[in-house]
Structures are given as structure tokens and as C-alpha cells.
Amino acid sequence: MGPGVRRRHHLIWKECKIFTGSIVHVNIGFDTTTLPVHLLPYLELFGNILTEIGTEELDYIKFSIKKDQIFGGFSHKVSMYNQFGERDNYQPIFWLNMKMLDKYIPDAIQLAEQVLLDVCFDDEKRIHEILERNFAWLENYIQSEGYNLPVQRLQSYIHESGWYLEQITGLTAYQNLKNLQKNFNSEKTKLVKHLNE
């Protein structure tokens, strides 16, 4: 490991000593290699819902207010890390990204802990709203940057990491999202079950 990188209890963290004007970035990463294949097309949607829906204690309105008071940014991202020269040796990471002023670090960590341990997927109406918005964004993206989908599909035939990423952000994920958006009433029970998994 390089300088400034520490490993404790299977967590890897890196300190950055560059002055940032009291703005702190905290990124928490989760290895998704043990995630069952049938859940991969739900991962992007899961990330959006996780960062917006609220917890057992805070409905999405209260959660949204608290989130905006503490964070300058609270989002997710799925990244793929390939071993140089070995495309089938890869590490997929689901990142939870937080940005805040340093005085809010304790509150931010507490809220992130609440989100990770007490997220609540019971609000089907809110899930439907997030799904509709995400589908609209994706449709708009496809119209302007649609060439990425066939490229990702081709990469999925070339190497395993390409296949893995295509399930999460490619045509497979798009078709899954389209089906959920079109058939929400009949699919919502299965969707909530998969989100909880």
C-alpha cells in the first residue's frame, strides 16, 4: 500500500493532507462481488433510493431536510477496478460519497450510519417517484449519449468485468428499469424484496 494508506478491520482509508477550505469528502466503499447476479441490474436504482428514501426514524421529507443541513453532497457510484493486464481480475465497489464542512463530520457519520443500518423501503409511492425520475433521466441520456450502451454490451462479450458492469449500468440495467417503470404495480413487491436483499 502507498503512503498515507492504512488498513484496519478490512477497511482501507487514505488521508489527503491538501487544504480544502474545511470541506471534507468521505467515501465508503462496499465490495459487491458477493452480490447475487440477479440483483446487479437493481444496484444503480438501489443507490439512488438509498440516498433519498429515509430511514426507520426519518421519512423521506425529514431525511431530505436533515441531509441538506449536513451534507454538501450525498450520492453513490459503482466503480470497476481492473488488475493491469488482467481484465478478468477485477474489483467492483459500490461507493457512498459524502461531502460536508468539517464541523458536520460527527452528524454526517451518524446520519450515514442510520442510512446504512436503518434504511426503510416501505414507502412504495416514494420508490415509484424515484424510479420514474431515474427512468426519465436515463431515457434522456440514451438519446444524447446512447452509443455507450452498445459499446458496453460489446465489452461484456470480451471480458468478465465488462459483463459485470453491463449488468449494472448497461442495456441489461436499462431494460430492467424500463420494465419496472412500465409494470410498477405488478413488480413493486419483487422490487422491494430485491432492495431489502
Side-chain angles (χ1 to χ4, degrees):
M1 285 186 276
V5 179
R6 309 281 184 264
R7 184 186 289 271
R8 288 198 185 130
H9 306 293
H10 303 289
L11 293 175
I12 298 175
W13 57 278
K14 184 175 180 180
E15 272 181 67
C16 178
K17 304 211 178 203
I18 298 169
F19 178 69
T20 60
S22 298
I23 297 172
V24 176
H25 294 263
V26 177
N27 303 312
I28 304 172
F30 300 90
D31 178 355
T32 63
T33 51
T34 58
L35 205 61
V37 170
H38 73 276
L39 295 180
L40 295 179
Y42 295 87
L43 194 55
E44 271 294 310
L45 181 59
F46 169 79
N48 284 305
I49 293 171
L50 180 73
T51 56
E52 294 184 40
I53 198 161
T55 67
E56 295 283 352
E57 289 181 22
L58 302 168
D59 65 29
Y60 82 90
I61 295 172
K62 289 177 185 171
F63 174 72
S64 183
I65 292 167
K66 192 165 185 180
K67 182 177 73 169
D68 290 345
Q69 289 170 342
I70 296 170
F71 294 115
F74 187 57
S75 61
H76 81 285
K77 182 178 182 179
V78 178
S79 297
M80 181 67 70
Y81 301 94
N82 291 89
Q83 179 72 35
F84 181 74
E86 297 179 47
R87 285 185 176 258
D88 288 334
N89 187 0
Y90 61 93
Q91 178 74 61
I93 301 289
F94 176 90
W95 291 104
L96 197 59
N97 306 312
M98 297 170 278
K99 181 170 72 172
M100 74 223 66
L101 293 173
D102 56 5
K103 66 181 179 180
Y104 291 119
I105 290 174
D107 294 328
I109 298 300
Q110 186 178 29
L111 187 58
E113 182 181 34
Q114 243 184 310
V115 167
L116 292 171
L117 300 179
D118 297 319
V119 66
C120 181
F121 298 115
D122 292 343
D123 190 344
E124 291 176 356
K125 183 180 177 208
R126 181 61 180 150
I127 289 173
H128 193 206
E129 288 170 358
I130 296 168
L131 172 64
E132 290 279 335
R133 187 202 60 213
N134 282 14
F135 183 71
W137 282 351
L138 192 53
E139 287 274 271
N140 187 50
Y141 168 78
I142 287 170
Q143 288 175 17
S144 59
E145 305 285 332
Y147 58 84
N148 281 330
L149 291 180
V151 169
Q152 273 191 299
R153 179 55 70 96
L154 285 171
Q155 288 176 335
S156 75
Y157 296 119
I158 298 170
H159 47 82
E160 194 177 320
S161 63
W163 174 86
Y164 194 96
L165 203 54
E166 197 277 335
Q167 298 294 304
I168 299 167
T169 61
L171 191 58
T172 300
Y174 166 72
Q175 289 170 334
N176 184 59
L177 196 65
K178 185 174 184 177
N179 177 54
L180 291 171
Q181 186 267 345
K182 189 177 178 183
N183 304 299
F184 182 75
N185 288 332
S186 60
E187 294 285 328
K188 63 186 177 183
T189 303
K190 184 173 81 172
L191 171 58
V192 171
K193 178 179 175 287
H194 287 336
L195 293 173
N196 278 303
E197 278 185 75

